[in-house]
Amino acid sequence: LPTRIIDVGDDRDTPPKLVATAGRKGIYLALSYCWGTTQQSKHLKTTRSNLCDFEGAIPFSLLPATIRDAIIATRLLHIRYLWVDTLCIIQDDDLDWKHESANMGSIFQLGLCTLAATSARHSGEGLFLLRQADNEHENHGLVEELARCEWSKRGWVVQERILSRRLVHFGSQRLFFECQEGVDTQFENGPTPFTHNLQRKPDPDRVHSAQHRFWSRVVRAYNQCDLTQPSDKLPAISGLAREMSALIRQSYFRGLWIEDIARGLFW
């Protein structure tokens, strides 16, 4: 389990609470979403002053709609734990943020599934939107959904999506189920733009050039995304770099691979 996790409780009568895991193991879901501005999403976040209170109970009614819906979805899936950045990281503690942001990639990678608020423009809109899946003119595939949505323009989403073993996309018209090899709904089968096999054991004789091409493709997409804090540029992709480094056994330094540095610097 991550350092802190939300215990969603058994039902609506049990308030969620923040739990310090102290190295315990368990099954959890993660939430990937757009924060939006404070006015849009009415952020309730964990700080040093309310940490102890949240370990007793998190005020459910004060949470933005996307986080409330994620807690409900986690309960309906009969999973006990949910990870949400704004609650599981102490937002006014620089040391805690640096430690947890460095582990962000593994948090999404080790979760059972990621709930993606794909169609929500900010955390005040929620997961459970009014959908009209029977209108064939309004049914968009995941590729088009991602091209239209604010979620895919968020810099942190790049590694959250690639490293997650499974995702449930809450789209504008329907749900999409994505894993390491593709995407599926009851209406559609097909590949995703980022079909990848980072979880698999690579062939060392062939992987290096393929992974460097993959990295270049990811960085091009990443550079088109937005970051609220410019200082997040390297941390927001460091989890993916760490995973690739472990696979290809090459040296990563501030967005570049030392063994491929000529091409990296030239680009």
XYZ file of all heavy atoms in Angstrom, residues 29-124:
752
model
N -7.450 0.925 -5.222
C -7.659 1.618 -6.486
C -7.004 2.993 -6.414
O -6.744 3.509 -5.321
C -9.151 1.786 -6.779
C -10.022 0.529 -6.776
C -11.462 0.902 -7.150
C -9.486 -0.516 -7.735
N -6.744 3.581 -7.571
C -6.195 4.938 -7.625
C -7.106 5.792 -8.497
O -7.760 5.293 -9.414
C -4.774 4.931 -8.181
N -7.142 7.074 -8.212
C -7.957 8.008 -8.986
C -7.055 8.926 -9.796
O -6.128 9.538 -9.265
C -8.844 8.846 -8.057
C -9.664 9.952 -8.735
C -10.704 9.363 -9.678
C -10.342 10.842 -7.679
N -7.345 9.034 -11.093
C -6.656 9.970 -11.984
C -7.685 10.979 -12.481
O -8.696 10.588 -13.078
C -6.021 9.206 -13.153
O -5.377 10.101 -14.043
N -7.439 12.272 -12.273
C -8.457 13.274 -12.565
C -7.816 14.644 -12.720
O -6.642 14.844 -12.413
C -9.481 13.315 -11.428
C -8.918 13.823 -10.110
C -9.304 15.058 -9.597
C -7.998 13.077 -9.370
C -8.783 15.534 -8.391
C -7.486 13.536 -8.170
C -7.871 14.767 -7.682
O -7.359 15.235 -6.500
N -8.589 15.600 -13.217
C -8.159 16.995 -13.294
C -8.624 17.728 -12.041
O -9.810 17.668 -11.693
C -8.764 17.677 -14.520
S -8.197 17.052 -16.096
N -7.715 18.430 -11.412
C -8.109 19.222 -10.252
C -9.030 20.364 -10.667
O -10.076 20.575 -10.091
C -6.866 19.816 -9.578
C -6.164 18.918 -8.635
C -6.008 17.570 -8.757
C -5.500 19.301 -7.428
N -5.275 17.081 -7.702
C -4.946 18.119 -6.874
C -5.299 20.507 -6.780
C -4.221 18.130 -5.681
C -4.571 20.517 -5.596
C -4.051 19.344 -5.055
N -8.609 21.145 -11.663
C -9.313 22.375 -11.991
C -8.924 23.478 -11.021
O -8.054 23.315 -10.167
N -9.559 24.620 -11.131
C -9.288 25.723 -10.218
C -10.023 25.503 -8.900
O -10.926 24.681 -8.796
C -9.752 27.053 -10.828
O -11.183 27.023 -10.961
C -9.126 27.278 -12.201
N -9.627 26.254 -7.912
C -10.272 26.137 -6.594
C -11.767 26.440 -6.694
O -12.590 25.786 -6.057
C -9.609 27.100 -5.593
O -8.220 26.796 -5.512
C -10.231 26.961 -4.208
N -12.135 27.432 -7.502
C -13.549 27.789 -7.637
C -14.342 26.648 -8.277
O -15.489 26.398 -7.933
C -13.692 29.063 -8.484
C -13.169 30.332 -7.829
C -11.648 30.405 -7.817
O -10.981 29.734 -8.594
N -11.102 31.215 -6.915
N -13.719 25.952 -9.237
C -14.424 24.885 -9.938
C -14.624 23.653 -9.074
O -15.652 22.994 -9.122
C -13.648 24.492 -11.201
C -13.674 25.538 -12.304
C -12.737 25.163 -13.432
O -11.666 24.622 -13.211
N -13.147 25.459 -14.653
N -13.600 23.313 -8.282
C -13.618 22.001 -7.649
C -13.734 22.036 -6.119
O -13.892 21.003 -5.497
C -12.344 21.233 -8.032
O -11.207 22.032 -7.783
N -13.652 23.228 -5.519
C -13.786 23.357 -4.065
C -12.910 22.320 -3.347
O -13.391 21.455 -2.621
C -15.254 23.185 -3.643
C -16.181 24.231 -4.243
C -17.614 24.014 -3.817
C -18.529 25.053 -4.438
N -19.945 24.840 -4.075
N -11.625 22.441 -3.577
C -10.691 21.450 -3.058
C -10.751 21.324 -1.545
O -10.662 22.302 -0.819
C -9.256 21.825 -3.445
C -8.978 21.648 -4.898
N -8.096 22.437 -5.599
C -9.474 20.772 -5.795
C -8.064 22.056 -6.853
N -8.887 21.050 -6.992
N -10.925 20.107 -1.098
C -10.696 19.764 0.298
C -9.433 18.917 0.288
O -9.403 17.862 -0.345
C -11.872 18.967 0.870
C -11.743 18.577 2.348
C -11.796 19.816 3.222
C -12.833 17.602 2.743
N -8.397 19.366 0.934
C -7.115 18.678 0.832
C -6.526 18.447 2.211
O -6.865 19.133 3.185
C -6.150 19.482 -0.030
C -5.912 20.913 0.459
C -5.108 21.710 -0.555
C -4.874 23.142 -0.086
N -4.140 23.942 -1.088
N -5.653 17.466 2.276
C -4.985 17.152 3.537
C -3.842 18.129 3.777
O -3.007 18.368 2.896
C -4.439 15.714 3.504
O -5.531 14.801 3.366
C -3.682 15.396 4.784
N -3.830 18.710 4.950
C -2.756 19.606 5.375
C -2.245 19.144 6.731
O -2.833 18.251 7.369
C -3.252 21.058 5.477
O -4.277 21.127 6.483
C -3.830 21.543 4.151
N -1.182 19.755 7.176
C -0.640 19.388 8.492
C -1.649 19.669 9.603
O -1.677 18.974 10.622
C 0.664 20.146 8.742
C 1.844 19.604 7.949
C 3.086 20.451 8.090
N 2.947 21.722 7.388
C 3.924 22.600 7.202
N 5.133 22.342 7.673
N 3.721 23.735 6.555
N -2.502 20.675 9.394
C -3.438 21.049 10.451
C -4.643 20.113 10.554
O -5.238 19.979 11.633
C -3.927 22.490 10.236
O -4.636 22.590 9.017
N -5.034 19.457 9.444
C -6.224 18.595 9.513
C -5.898 17.105 9.376
O -6.804 16.274 9.332
C -7.253 18.998 8.450
C -6.752 18.826 7.017
O -5.824 18.065 6.751
N -7.376 19.550 6.092
N -4.616 16.755 9.321
C -4.217 15.353 9.138
C -4.818 14.453 10.216
O -5.395 13.404 9.913
C -2.689 15.248 9.131
C -2.104 13.830 9.038
C -2.527 13.149 7.741
C -0.572 13.888 9.138
N -4.708 14.847 11.462
C -5.245 14.024 12.554
C -6.768 13.898 12.460
O -7.326 12.824 12.721
C -4.843 14.612 13.904
S -3.076 14.465 14.266
N -7.436 14.989 12.076
C -8.893 14.935 11.919
C -9.289 13.950 10.833
O -10.234 13.162 10.997
C -9.441 16.320 11.575
C -9.299 17.307 12.719
O -9.203 16.850 13.880
O -9.275 18.520 12.453
N -8.564 13.972 9.708
C -8.899 13.095 8.582
C -8.617 11.631 8.899
O -9.236 10.737 8.314
C -8.119 13.511 7.333
C -8.669 14.737 6.649
C -9.697 15.475 7.215
C -8.161 15.159 5.431
C -10.204 16.605 6.596
C -8.662 16.278 4.793
C -9.680 17.013 5.371
N -7.708 11.385 9.830
C -7.468 10.001 10.252
C -8.640 9.469 11.065
O -8.804 8.257 11.200
C -6.162 9.915 11.040
C -4.926 10.094 10.146
C -3.627 10.121 10.923
O -3.678 10.353 12.168
O -2.555 9.919 10.324
N -9.459 10.370 11.579
C -10.693 9.968 12.250
C -11.837 9.841 11.273
O -12.563 8.839 11.259
N -12.007 10.850 10.427
C -13.063 10.844 9.407
C -12.816 11.983 8.435
O -12.449 13.093 8.845
C -14.444 10.982 10.029
N -13.007 11.715 7.150
C -12.938 12.746 6.119
C -14.367 13.197 5.846
O -15.237 12.359 5.563
C -12.300 12.199 4.825
C -10.869 11.730 5.079
C -12.316 13.250 3.726
C -10.241 10.987 3.914
N -14.661 14.493 5.933
C -16.046 14.956 5.711
C -16.487 14.733 4.270
O -16.161 15.503 3.375
C -15.990 16.440 6.085
C -14.547 16.825 5.989
C -13.751 15.593 6.295
N -17.236 13.669 4.053
C -17.625 13.239 2.710
C -18.353 14.335 1.947
O -18.105 14.557 0.752
C -18.501 11.980 2.814
C -18.894 11.390 1.500
C -18.036 10.551 0.805
C -20.146 11.664 0.952
C -18.411 10.004 -0.416
C -20.524 11.111 -0.264
C -19.653 10.286 -0.948
N -19.259 15.032 2.589
C -20.098 16.024 1.908
C -19.295 17.215 1.408
O -19.753 17.951 0.519
C -21.215 16.504 2.841
O -20.662 17.130 3.987
N -18.112 17.434 1.979
C -17.281 18.576 1.579
C -16.307 18.236 0.460
O -15.624 19.123 -0.055
C -16.504 19.114 2.793
C -17.348 19.624 3.959
C -16.449 20.177 5.056
C -18.340 20.689 3.492
N -16.242 16.966 0.064
C -15.337 16.558 -0.996
C -15.899 16.967 -2.361
O -17.117 17.000 -2.548
C -15.136 15.039 -0.982
C -14.369 14.468 0.207
C -14.459 12.942 0.211
C -12.905 14.903 0.169
N -15.040 17.280 -3.330
C -15.542 17.539 -4.686
C -16.184 16.288 -5.268
O -15.879 15.158 -4.868
C -14.288 17.953 -5.461
C -13.143 17.422 -4.678
C -13.577 17.419 -3.246
N -17.063 16.481 -6.241
C -17.893 15.394 -6.756
C -17.079 14.221 -7.288
O -17.455 13.060 -7.100
C -18.814 15.929 -7.851
N -15.960 14.467 -7.961
C -15.177 13.376 -8.537
C -14.633 12.463 -7.456
O -14.641 11.229 -7.601
C -14.032 13.931 -9.400
O -14.592 14.695 -10.481
C -13.176 12.815 -9.972
N -14.171 13.022 -6.351
C -13.636 12.196 -5.269
C -14.762 11.467 -4.551
O -14.632 10.295 -4.187
C -12.792 13.049 -4.295
C -11.607 13.682 -5.058
C -12.288 12.205 -3.130
C -10.736 14.568 -4.207
N -15.910 12.138 -4.364
C -17.064 11.441 -3.773
C -17.467 10.249 -4.637
O -17.698 9.148 -4.131
C -18.256 12.403 -3.623
C -18.091 13.485 -2.587
C -19.437 14.058 -2.152
N -20.259 14.480 -3.278
C -20.263 15.716 -3.782
N -19.484 16.648 -3.251
N -21.049 16.031 -4.797
N -17.559 10.469 -5.949
C -17.954 9.386 -6.856
C -16.930 8.257 -6.856
O -17.290 7.071 -6.957
C -18.125 9.917 -8.277
C -19.367 10.784 -8.434
O -20.171 10.848 -7.480
O -19.533 11.393 -9.504
N -15.642 8.602 -6.752
C -14.600 7.570 -6.724
C -14.717 6.714 -5.467
O -14.511 5.498 -5.505
C -13.220 8.213 -6.800
N -15.064 7.327 -4.354
C -15.277 6.571 -3.116
C -16.474 5.631 -3.279
O -16.419 4.455 -2.887
C -15.473 7.543 -1.932
C -14.148 8.243 -1.601
C -16.018 6.802 -0.699
C -14.271 9.346 -0.565
N -17.558 6.131 -3.877
C -18.738 5.296 -4.106
C -18.391 4.132 -5.031
O -18.765 2.973 -4.782
C -19.883 6.143 -4.697
C -20.376 7.161 -3.664
C -21.037 5.256 -5.166
C -21.309 8.216 -4.237
N -17.664 4.415 -6.122
C -17.284 3.363 -7.065
C -16.409 2.313 -6.396
O -16.564 1.113 -6.645
C -16.558 3.980 -8.260
N -15.503 2.744 -5.537
C -14.624 1.803 -4.833
C -15.436 0.885 -3.931
O -15.203 -0.332 -3.877
C -13.566 2.572 -4.017
O -12.828 3.440 -4.895
C -12.596 1.626 -3.334
N -16.415 1.450 -3.241
C -17.295 0.622 -2.402
C -18.081 -0.382 -3.245
O -18.208 -1.553 -2.877
C -18.265 1.526 -1.637
C -17.639 2.342 -0.508
C -18.639 3.349 0.024
N -18.120 4.109 1.152
C -18.681 5.227 1.613
N -19.768 5.696 1.030
N -18.149 5.865 2.652
N -18.609 0.087 -4.384
C -19.413 -0.796 -5.237
C -18.580 -1.938 -5.822
O -19.119 -3.003 -6.123
C -20.056 0.009 -6.366
C -21.147 0.998 -5.942
C -21.568 1.871 -7.117
C -22.355 0.256 -5.374
N -17.300 -1.705 -5.983
C -16.397 -2.752 -6.474
C -15.871 -3.636 -5.347
O -15.051 -4.520 -5.582
C -15.234 -2.112 -7.233
C -15.609 -1.464 -8.567
C -14.449 -0.631 -9.106
C -16.019 -2.526 -9.578
N -16.327 -3.365 -4.121
C -15.945 -4.147 -2.943
C -14.433 -4.109 -2.702
O -13.821 -5.104 -2.318
C -16.429 -5.600 -3.071
C -17.906 -5.715 -3.276
N -18.821 -5.439 -2.279
C -18.635 -6.051 -4.375
C -20.049 -5.615 -2.746
N -19.961 -5.976 -4.020
N -13.863 -2.934 -2.939
C -12.459 -2.678 -2.613
C -12.454 -1.739 -1.413
O -13.237 -0.787 -1.350
C -11.708 -2.060 -3.804
C -11.836 -2.951 -5.048
C -10.245 -1.812 -3.461
C -11.186 -4.297 -4.919
N -11.542 -1.957 -0.481
C -11.561 -1.194 0.771
C -10.786 0.132 0.669
O -11.110 1.100 1.355
C -10.979 -2.054 1.899
C -11.114 -1.461 3.296
C -12.584 -1.331 3.667
N -12.798 -0.736 4.955
C -13.137 -1.443 6.049
N -13.285 -2.746 5.979
N -13.341 -0.840 7.193
N -9.777 0.181 -0.202
C -8.858 1.317 -0.179
C -8.820 2.058 -1.511
O -8.914 1.462 -2.587
C -7.448 0.845 0.171
C -7.339 0.197 1.528
C -6.905 -1.119 1.652
C -7.672 0.887 2.692
C -6.794 -1.721 2.893
C -7.567 0.290 3.934
C -7.127 -1.025 4.038
O -7.027 -1.624 5.260
N -8.639 3.369 -1.416
C -8.564 4.252 -2.583
C -7.457 5.272 -2.358
O -7.351 5.854 -1.272
C -9.908 4.974 -2.782
C -9.949 6.088 -3.836
C -9.792 5.505 -5.243
C -11.257 6.887 -3.721
N -6.643 5.506 -3.398
C -5.594 6.528 -3.311
C -5.981 7.729 -4.160
O -6.295 7.593 -5.342
C -4.255 5.975 -3.806
C -3.095 6.908 -3.539
C -2.322 6.951 -2.417
C -2.605 7.945 -4.402
N -1.387 7.952 -2.528
C -1.538 8.573 -3.734
C -2.968 8.394 -5.672
C -0.818 9.642 -4.290
C -2.269 9.464 -6.230
C -1.209 10.067 -5.544
N -5.972 8.905 -3.523
C -6.258 10.176 -4.198
C -5.183 11.167 -3.765
O -4.977 11.377 -2.560
C -7.655 10.715 -3.825
C -7.927 12.028 -4.550
C -8.736 9.692 -4.145
N -4.529 11.797 -4.725
C -3.365 12.633 -4.403
C -3.668 13.742 -3.407
O -2.934 13.937 -2.435
C -2.744 13.207 -5.675
C -3.736 14.020 -6.520
O -4.914 14.128 -6.145
O -3.302 14.555 -7.572
N -4.767 14.464 -3.615
C -5.049 15.628 -2.779
C -5.304 15.270 -1.314
O -5.154 16.111 -0.426
C -6.247 16.410 -3.350
O -6.387 17.629 -2.648
C -7.529 15.615 -3.235
N -5.689 14.016 -1.044
C -5.949 13.574 0.325
C -4.819 12.721 0.898
O -4.597 12.733 2.109
C -7.258 12.794 0.388
C -8.529 13.595 0.069
C -9.738 12.676 0.021
C -8.739 14.722 1.069
N -4.109 11.998 0.052
C -3.089 11.063 0.542
C -1.692 11.669 0.594
O -0.763 11.041 1.093
C -3.082 9.801 -0.321
S -4.645 8.881 -0.232
N -1.542 12.878 0.077
C -0.287 13.626 0.187
C -0.579 14.881 1.002
O -1.574 15.571 0.764
C 0.268 14.017 -1.191
C 0.525 12.767 -2.048
C 1.553 14.825 -1.049
C 0.963 13.081 -3.464
N 0.279 15.185 1.970
C 0.100 16.402 2.780
C 0.487 17.592 1.909
O 1.661 17.783 1.573
C 0.955 16.343 4.055
C 0.615 15.084 4.852
C 0.722 17.597 4.904
C 1.508 14.869 6.065
N -0.481 18.398 1.541
C -0.297 19.378 0.483
C 0.538 20.587 0.878
O 1.064 21.287 0.010
C -1.668 19.840 -0.028
C -2.495 18.727 -0.654
C -1.851 18.152 -1.908
O -1.357 18.874 -2.762
N -1.850 16.826 -2.017
N 0.688 20.848 2.164
C 1.522 21.988 2.579
C 2.816 21.528 3.251
O 3.412 22.267 4.026
C 0.744 22.926 3.509
C 0.268 22.244 4.786
O 0.401 20.996 4.887
O -0.220 22.949 5.689
N 3.251 20.328 2.934
C 4.489 19.774 3.482
C 5.401 19.417 2.304
O 5.192 18.414 1.621
C 4.171 18.536 4.315
C 5.386 18.003 5.062
O 6.496 18.038 4.500
O 5.223 17.531 6.200
N 6.418 20.255 2.055
C 7.284 20.057 0.894
C 8.011 18.721 0.933
O 8.158 18.055 -0.098
C 8.308 21.187 0.791
C 7.672 22.504 0.379
O 6.544 22.476 -0.162
O 8.295 23.562 0.594
N 8.473 18.310 2.101
C 9.197 17.044 2.200
C 8.276 15.863 1.882
O 8.666 14.919 1.187
C 9.797 16.886 3.600
C 10.988 17.788 3.923
C 11.443 17.564 5.364
C 12.145 17.531 2.960
N 7.045 15.916 2.396
C 6.100 14.835 2.114
C 5.754 14.803 0.631
O 5.690 13.731 0.023
C 4.834 15.025 2.948
C 3.926 13.802 2.896
O 4.292 12.777 3.494
O 2.867 13.860 2.243
N 5.560 15.992 0.027
C 5.227 16.023 -1.393
C 6.369 15.459 -2.240
O 6.137 14.677 -3.172
C 4.907 17.448 -1.843
C 4.386 17.475 -3.243
C 3.080 17.380 -3.642
C 5.157 17.547 -4.448
N 3.001 17.393 -5.011
C 4.254 17.492 -5.539
C 6.524 17.655 -4.708
C 4.668 17.555 -6.858
C 6.954 17.700 -6.034
C 6.036 17.661 -7.093
N 7.605 15.824 -1.928
C 8.744 15.322 -2.705
C 8.854 13.805 -2.585
O 9.104 13.104 -3.566
C 10.042 15.988 -2.232
C 10.150 17.448 -2.641
C 11.422 18.094 -2.091
C 11.509 19.556 -2.488
N 12.700 20.218 -1.924
N 8.651 13.288 -1.380
C 8.742 11.842 -1.176
C 7.637 11.114 -1.927
O 7.882 10.120 -2.621
C 8.660 11.523 0.321
C 8.719 10.059 0.621
N 7.580 9.274 0.714
C 9.775 9.231 0.837
C 7.932 8.037 0.975
N 9.253 7.974 1.056
N 6.406 11.613 -1.807
C 5.273 10.918 -2.420
C 5.248 11.096 -3.937
O 4.888 10.163 -4.660
C 3.964 11.415 -1.809
C 3.804 11.078 -0.327
C 3.924 9.591 -0.060
O 3.210 8.811 -0.719
O 4.742 9.198 0.786
N 5.617 12.273 -4.441
C 5.626 12.474 -5.892
C 6.674 11.601 -6.551
O 6.491 11.156 -7.696
C 5.878 13.948 -6.232
O 7.173 14.366 -5.813
N 7.774 11.316 -5.850
C 8.792 10.418 -6.398
C 8.260 8.993 -6.530
O 8.754 8.216 -7.353
C 10.034 10.443 -5.506
N 7.256 8.644 -5.719
C 6.674 7.298 -5.756
C 5.377 7.235 -6.562
O 4.720 6.196 -6.592
C 6.389 6.815 -4.334
C 7.658 6.600 -3.540
O 8.667 6.152 -4.078
N 7.621 6.936 -2.262
N 5.008 8.337 -7.217
C 3.709 8.406 -7.893
C 3.571 7.327 -8.962
O 2.505 6.707 -9.110
C 3.524 9.780 -8.522
C 2.090 10.123 -8.823
S 1.240 10.814 -7.395
C 1.892 12.467 -7.383
N 4.631 7.090 -9.725
C 4.549 6.079 -10.770
C 4.225 4.706 -10.220
O 3.350 3.999 -10.734
N 4.911 4.317 -9.157
C 4.675 2.987 -8.581
C 3.308 2.905 -7.918
O 2.701 1.829 -7.865
C 5.783 2.640 -7.570
O 5.779 3.546 -6.489
N 2.789 4.017 -7.413
C 1.452 4.011 -6.814
C 0.404 3.613 -7.854
O -0.462 2.770 -7.601
C 1.123 5.384 -6.195
C 1.959 5.608 -4.925
C -0.373 5.499 -5.873
C 1.863 7.007 -4.353
N 0.496 4.193 -9.050
C -0.459 3.841 -10.100
C -0.160 2.469 -10.681
O -1.067 1.735 -11.070
C -0.452 4.910 -11.195
C -1.237 6.125 -10.818
C -0.647 7.176 -10.122
C -2.586 6.227 -11.111
C -1.371 8.288 -9.746
C -3.326 7.333 -10.740
C -2.718 8.372 -10.050
N 1.092 2.088 -10.717
C 1.466 0.790 -11.274
C 1.009 -0.364 -10.394
O 0.611 -1.421 -10.893
C 2.983 0.739 -11.457
C 3.482 -0.507 -12.171
C 4.986 -0.477 -12.327
O 5.692 0.010 -11.450
N 5.477 -0.977 -13.434
N 1.049 -0.196 -9.085
C 0.749 -1.290 -8.164
C -0.721 -1.363 -7.768
O -1.144 -2.323 -7.134
C 1.615 -1.169 -6.906
C 3.127 -1.298 -7.138
C 3.895 -1.062 -5.849
C 3.470 -2.653 -7.728
N -1.501 -0.350 -8.138
C -2.921 -0.392 -7.843
C -3.627 -1.456 -8.673
O -3.207 -1.782 -9.784
N -4.705 -2.008 -8.128
C -5.474 -2.999 -8.880
C -6.040 -2.390 -10.155
O -6.060 -3.012 -11.211
C -6.627 -3.532 -8.013
C -7.558 -4.537 -8.694
C -6.839 -5.861 -8.924
C -8.812 -4.760 -7.854
N -6.483 -1.135 -10.061
C -7.104 -0.469 -11.205
C -7.087 1.035 -10.951
O -7.097 1.476 -9.801
C -8.542 -0.965 -11.376
S -9.429 -0.249 -12.777
N -7.055 1.802 -12.017
C -7.142 3.254 -11.928
C -8.500 3.707 -12.429
O -8.934 3.317 -13.524
C -6.034 3.928 -12.754
O -4.766 3.606 -12.187
C -6.199 5.443 -12.768
N -9.197 4.497 -11.626
C -10.439 5.133 -12.041
C -10.071 6.464 -12.694
O -9.511 7.335 -12.033
C -11.353 5.369 -10.840
C -11.663 4.150 -9.969
C -12.509 4.570 -8.769
C -12.362 3.062 -10.765
N -10.355 6.608 -13.979
C -9.972 7.809 -14.721
C -11.200 8.673 -14.983
O -12.138 8.243 -15.647
C -9.302 7.426 -16.038
N -11.169 9.891 -14.452
C -12.270 10.843 -14.679
C -12.036 11.518 -16.027
O -11.795 12.718 -16.129
C -12.329 11.861 -13.554
N -12.137 10.730 -17.088
C -11.704 11.150 -18.415
C -12.509 12.316 -18.954
O -11.967 13.207 -19.607
C -11.789 9.954 -19.384
O -11.137 8.829 -18.781
C -11.105 10.259 -20.698
N -13.791 12.335 -18.693
C -14.643 13.365 -19.302
C -14.851 14.577 -18.404
O -15.430 15.575 -18.842
C -16.001 12.773 -19.673
O -16.676 12.326 -18.503
N -14.393 14.522 -17.165
C -14.617 15.632 -16.232
C -13.567 16.721 -16.445
O -12.366 16.451 -16.427
C -14.574 15.130 -14.793
N -14.002 17.940 -16.621
C -13.078 19.052 -16.840
C -12.406 19.498 -15.550
O -11.349 20.118 -15.575
C -13.820 20.232 -17.469
C -14.313 19.963 -18.890
C -15.301 21.002 -19.334
N -16.513 20.966 -18.512
C -17.555 21.785 -18.672
N -17.512 22.713 -19.618
N -18.613 21.681 -17.904
N -13.013 19.197 -14.428
C -12.444 19.524 -13.123
C -13.088 18.609 -12.090
O -14.062 17.893 -12.388
C -12.662 20.997 -12.768
C -14.086 21.455 -12.887
N -15.029 21.173 -11.923
C -14.728 22.146 -13.856
C -16.191 21.697 -12.283
N -16.038 22.283 -13.452
N -12.555 18.621 -10.887
C -12.990 17.635 -9.895
C -14.382 17.912 -9.343
O -14.922 17.105 -8.596
C -11.985 17.567 -8.741
O -11.914 18.802 -8.059
N -14.973 19.028 -9.727
C -16.336 19.307 -9.301
C -17.401 18.649 -10.172
O -18.581 18.677 -9.826
